[in-house]
Amino acid sequence: MKILFNRTSISSAISPLMYAVSGKSTISAADGILIEARVPDTCIMTTFDLEKGVRIVVEAKVIEEGSYIINAQKFNQTLRVMDGEEITLSVDDKMVASIVSGKSSHKMIALPASDFPSIPDLVSDRSFIISQAIVKKMFSQVAFAMGNNDQRQVLNGTFVKIDDDSITMVACDSFKLAKCRRRTELTNKNTNGNAHLEYAFIVPAKTVNDLQRLLEDDPEALTQIYVTRKHIVFVIGDIT
């Protein structure tokens, strides 16, 4: 595998990917970034800590196809000290990853893509589109009341209810409670024939905090949210 990255594009992609890096897992692959390079210019990077995952499409020039896992923390730290504008990442047959930029070079051990934790099937025919700014603002208004390591897992997050023309969020740690409701335009993207939007789910506290950093304040920016049986999927630009 051999890929050429622009320093700016790869650096901006690494930050959201780090939100789903375990760092404490006994599975080495969960501490890494799954890099899938496909000719001509498709590079997909994925991190998954067994609870939440981030997938992003990165601008790159793929010289040689391949799929490998690179340790996320080491890769992130290496990129920070590189001095060139173009980053070259290559992995040889001996599973040695080389990162070269300008006069700087670094090597680390890669893992086969097959070792990466199995990501749940996130395909869903139930989805809607909503303003990123609204979701971000509402999360910020209730997040202070979320539970922290409460034995009742349902309190360690934010309850979200979606209706045809409104969104409601509630957080409660059994001592304090915060609730907000807002009427807003919701675009129904259901493909299952259901003309009504009626969803209720709980977004875990860690994910709420990550989403507040990922979502934009621009009122024109939109996010598409998919609802599956066990998962909530946020699509924010090139980030899933």
Side-chain angles (χ1 to χ4, degrees), residues 55-195:
R55 175 172 289 157
I56 183 168
V57 179
V58 184
E59 258 184 60
K61 181 178 181 181
V62 178
I63 298 174
E64 185 180 335
E65 290 185 332
S67 300
Y68 295 93
I69 302 167
I70 306 293
N71 184 276
Q73 292 290 352
K74 291 180 180 178
F75 189 45
N76 186 28
Q77 292 167 3
T78 300
L79 292 178
R80 289 182 180 180
V81 298
M82 291 278 177
D83 57 2
E85 289 302 314
E86 189 175 73
I87 308 287
T88 302
L89 170 64
S90 59
V91 181
D92 62 22
D93 295 337
K94 296 181 180 180
M95 305 297 290
V96 176
S98 300
I99 306 166
V100 180
S101 179
K103 296 180 181 180
S104 306
S105 64
H106 183 81
K107 292 186 177 182
M108 67 179 76
I109 299 299
L111 296 172
S114 57
D115 288 355
F116 199 73
S118 178
I119 297 179
D121 184 5
L122 301 180
V123 176
S124 174
D125 57 3
R126 303 186 300 159
S127 70
F128 60 94
I129 295 175
I130 188 172
S131 165
Q132 293 187 34
I134 289 176
V135 177
K136 182 176 182 178
K137 179 68 178 295
M138 293 182 70
F139 273 142
S140 68
Q141 290 175 321
V142 302
F144 73 94
M146 293 188 299
N148 183 24
N149 295 324
D150 195 292
Q151 291 184 347
R152 294 161 293 179
Q153 291 295 326
V154 293
L155 299 184
N156 297 324
T158 295
F159 171 79
V160 181
K161 185 177 181 181
I162 302 295
D163 291 314
D164 285 328
D165 61 351
S166 68
I167 176 172
T168 303
M169 291 191 185
V170 182
C172 177
D173 63 0
S174 76
F175 294 98
K176 55 185 179 291
L177 181 147
K179 176 183 177 181
C180 63
R181 182 175 184 271
R182 180 162 178 172
R183 289 189 175 277
T184 184
E185 182 179 349
L186 298 166
T187 304
N188 189 339
K189 301 296 286 186
N190 284 342
T191 59
N192 57 6
N194 190 346

Side-chain angles (χ1 to χ4, degrees), residues 195-213:
H196 297 289
L197 288 175
E198 189 175 351
Y199 304 126
F201 49 86
I202 298 172
V203 182
K206 290 181 180 179
T207 303
V208 169
N209 295 330
D210 291 340
L211 285 170
Q212 289 187 81
R213 294 192 287 266

